[in-house]
Amino acid sequence: MSTYSVIKGTHKLTRGLCVFITRPFSSMSNRRPKVYVTRRVPPDGLEILRPHCEITQWDSEKPVPRAELIRQIAGKDALFCLLTDKIDGEVLNAAGPQLKCIGTMSVGYDHIDMTECRERNIPVGFTPDVLTNATAELTVGLLLATSRRLIEASQSVRDGGWGTWDPCWMLGHGLDGSTVGIVGLGRIGMAVARRLAPFGVKRFLYSGHSPKNEAHEIGAEFMDFDALLSKSDFVLGCCALTKENLGLFDKDAFTKMKSNAIFVNTSRGGLVNQTDLYQALVNHQIAAAGLDVTSPEPLPTDSPLLTLKNCVILPHIGSATEMARGAMSALTGRNILSFLRGEEMPCRIK
């Protein structure tokens, strides 16, 4: 019967915990592929890999220090990483020619230098679809919390601000009869729209590279970015982050929005120029903003955005359900194992 040995220890240059999970080899020809896992993750993916691979894991809820990542990646066959890990030429050089594939437990992959990976013929797997519903739910929740001032209202109960019933107090913005503009009508954008439709949204608009056939399902109208900004009561950032749209929501964009517009971003923090957003909120160019993503993450506690009542900020929890995170871990494991077996990755970045 095969046995495992688990060794826990701390590297002298770091405070994190490293776990080595090893399997015996019957011979060098039967050597199990070595996989490095950069964080403590839901066990689903590890359970897929463990019977077939030798796993080394940074067993901490904190990101692996870069020096430790570079030290541990050497000689590994595969890398199981997260969006907090910068995977660039330096890391790939440290890994050496033995590195066969990378699996990232995320939909976004702007943390990975894809040019370097393609030049080295290292395929990269990711986790689309499995977090769509969870992220869509969170987007709707954040929109409602922001537009109906739920955080502000709850705080008023705690600090004694709740007095007699006042017909003009804590008025927010409702979805009934509204126009919702979605920047990036992909899987998550569509899932958000489907969930918002029963609230009585009158009109859906969307912008992107080209019209989408599935937009007919919700009667969404395709238009350019500037037109969407000027016509929407709610503007939702649902597009992937690219070099082209970095800082897309800036002073110019906020100036084009309605003064009563609600802006929500659950995609990537890099889409937003946060200095410009702060000015737009302070100067009432827009009514409010809800962010589940920021740049950097975590957002420094002295960020000016945290001083504003009309800005709701969450700590990047879009996919934070037990089901979604477990599915993300499992898909990452399947992506890695499939390639190591000579099969197609279920979800590979093209």
Side-chain angles (χ1 to χ4, degrees):
M1 179 179 295
S2 298
T3 59
Y4 298 96
S5 63
V6 181
I7 306 170
K8 297 184 179 182
T10 56
H11 186 260
K12 65 181 180 180
L13 297 179
T14 60
R15 294 184 178 179
L17 186 64
C18 199
V19 175
F20 301 90
I21 305 171
T22 61
R23 285 267 197 160
F25 308 136
S26 58
S27 69
M28 286 304 295
S29 62
N30 294 325
R31 182 186 67 85
R32 292 175 179 270
K34 298 178 180 180
V35 180
Y36 185 59
V37 182
T38 64
R39 188 88 72 85
R40 184 180 301 158
V41 297
D44 309 60
L46 301 183
E47 290 170 358
I48 289 170
L49 292 170
R50 188 172 289 122
H52 312 280
C53 304
E54 177 184 330
I55 300 172
T56 306
Q57 181 181 15
W58 180 253
D59 190 34
S60 171
E61 71 278 4
K62 302 295 184 183
V64 60
R66 187 166 179 84
E68 179 72 0
L69 170 60
I70 289 172
R71 187 177 74 88
Q72 290 289 347
I73 192 62
K76 298 301 189 292
D77 297 285
L79 174 64
F80 185 129
C81 67
L82 279 67
L83 54 81
T84 50
D85 305 312
K86 183 179 180 181
I87 309 303
D88 56 11
E90 182 183 21
V91 172
L92 298 178
N93 286 337
Q98 186 167 311
L99 186 68
K100 298 176 178 64
C101 64
I102 296 172
T104 180
M105 191 178 134
S106 63
V107 174
Y109 47 89
D110 48 285
H111 57 296
I112 300 175
D113 189 331
M114 291 302 301
T115 300
E116 285 279 353
C117 289
R118 291 183 180 110
E119 288 179 353
R120 300 165 191 250
N121 294 316
I122 299 174
V124 180
F126 68 142
T127 60
D129 296 324
V130 295
L131 51 69
T132 296
N133 289 334
T135 304
E137 291 170 0
L138 190 282
T139 302
V140 173
L142 179 57
L143 183 153
L144 292 172
T146 304
S147 63
R148 293 300 303 273
R149 303 171 67 178
L150 300 187
I151 308 301
E152 185 182 356
S154 179
Q155 186 58 44
S156 73
V157 176
R158 291 174 167 78
D159 62 21
W162 182 15
T164 185
W165 185 82
D166 184 343
C168 298
W169 187 59
M170 286 292 171
L171 301 184
H173 300 269
L175 283 160
D176 189 27
S178 68
T179 296
V180 174
I182 302 175
V183 181
L185 195 67
R187 292 179 295 268
I188 293 174
M190 276 296 299
V192 171
R194 293 189 188 104
R195 286 161 172 77
L196 289 178
F199 284 90
V201 173
K202 181 178 181 181
R203 189 182 183 194
F204 284 106
L205 314 176
Y206 73 101
S207 66
H209 294 298
S210 59
K212 303 272 190 176
N213 292 332
E214 53 268 33
H216 297 296
E217 176 189 333
I218 55 172
E221 306 168 46
F222 179 75
M223 60 183 57
D224 65 50
F225 179 63
D226 289 349
L228 179 148
L229 295 178
S230 65
K231 297 177 183 295
S232 300
D233 300 304
F234 296 85
V235 177
L236 312 183
C238 295
C239 56
L241 179 64
T242 65
K243 293 180 180 178
E244 291 72 30
N245 63 23
L246 186 68
L248 177 66
F249 292 99
D250 58 7
K251 180 179 180 180
D252 184 57
F254 295 125
T255 300
K256 292 172 181 174
M257 292 185 193
K258 296 181 179 181
S259 60
N260 66 338
I262 306 295
F263 171 64
V264 175
N265 183 29
T266 55
S267 177
R268 283 290 184 270
L271 286 176
V272 182
N273 183 314
Q274 291 171 182
T275 301
D276 291 350
L277 174 59
Y278 174 78
Q279 292 298 327
L281 292 168
V282 168
N283 297 323
H284 305 292
Q285 288 179 320
I286 63 174
L291 309 174
D292 183 46
V293 288
T294 61
S295 182
E297 293 183 356
L299 188 68
T301 55
D302 61 353
S303 169
L305 289 172
L306 295 175
T307 66
L308 303 178
K309 291 183 178 180
N310 59 342
C311 188
V312 177
I313 301 179
L314 301 179
H316 201 154
I317 57 171
S319 62
T321 67
E322 291 184 3
M323 179 182 291
R325 293 282 172 85
M328 291 169 69
S329 177
L331 181 51
T332 305
R334 289 199 302 273
N335 281 335
I336 291 172
L337 186 59
S338 294
F339 189 81
L340 292 177
R341 284 175 162 176
E343 303 166 359
E344 284 293 318
M345 283 185 173
C347 293
R348 176 175 173 176
I349 298 169
K350 302 302 183 182

